[in-house]
Amino acid sequence: MPISESARSAAAIHRKLRGLAAMFADPAATEHEKANAKELKGRLEKQLGQEPKPDGACIGIMFRLGRGVKEMTSPTSPETDWTHHAFRLGRMFRRGFKR
């Protein structure tokens, strides 16, 4: 499974933050370098906090699918056979594609 772009960028930001932490620990770093690093750290942490929002359509489809599966697995009358389940499954997909 390929790694998403957001995961790659998050890993890159974490690497940069580790480098900045090493620079803060360096006793030979000047005050100006530390001030610049502090600004950069703030910008990177702000970037790291921004996460992409999930697509609303996908969430709705998954919700309806879960609800349909719950309906199919719920106890029903003893007269049910595979045709009743197929009918329910078809109705669930038909409703899902309409929305």
Side-chain angles (χ1 to χ4, degrees), residues 62-83:
M62 294 306 291
F63 173 75
R64 286 190 296 277
L65 179 65
R67 190 171 51 188
V69 168
K70 184 178 177 182
E71 178 185 321
M72 286 177 57
T73 58
S74 66
T76 58
S77 65
E79 303 168 357
T80 60
D81 59 350
W82 69 271
T83 57

Side-chain angles (χ1 to χ4, degrees), residues 1 3-4 17 20 37-38 45 52 59 62 71 78 81 89:
M1 176 177 232
I3 299 174
S4 67
L17 287 172
L20 289 173
K38 188 175 183 180
E45 286 176 342
I59 292 173
M62 294 306 291
E71 178 185 321
D81 59 350
L89 186 63

Side-chain angles (χ1 to χ4, degrees), residues 13-91:
I13 292 172
H14 280 292
R15 281 193 304 274
K16 290 176 184 177
L17 287 172
R18 279 196 309 262
L20 289 173
M23 204 276 310
F24 284 126
D26 184 17
T30 65
E31 291 300 317
H32 294 289
E33 289 173 337
K34 288 183 181 182
N36 286 338
K38 188 175 183 180
E39 285 290 322
L40 182 60
K41 180 183 174 198
R43 284 185 290 181
L44 288 173
E45 286 176 342
K46 185 178 176 183
Q47 248 184 349
L48 191 61
Q50 297 172 351
E51 295 180 12
K53 296 181 180 176
D55 186 17
C58 179
I59 292 173
I61 290 170
M62 294 306 291
F63 173 75
R64 286 190 296 277
L65 179 65
R67 190 171 51 188
V69 168
K70 184 178 177 182
E71 178 185 321
M72 286 177 57
T73 58
S74 66
T76 58
S77 65
E79 303 168 357
T80 60
D81 59 350
W82 69 271
T83 57
H84 290 89
H85 292 297
F87 174 76
R88 285 186 188 170
L89 186 63
R91 185 175 55 189

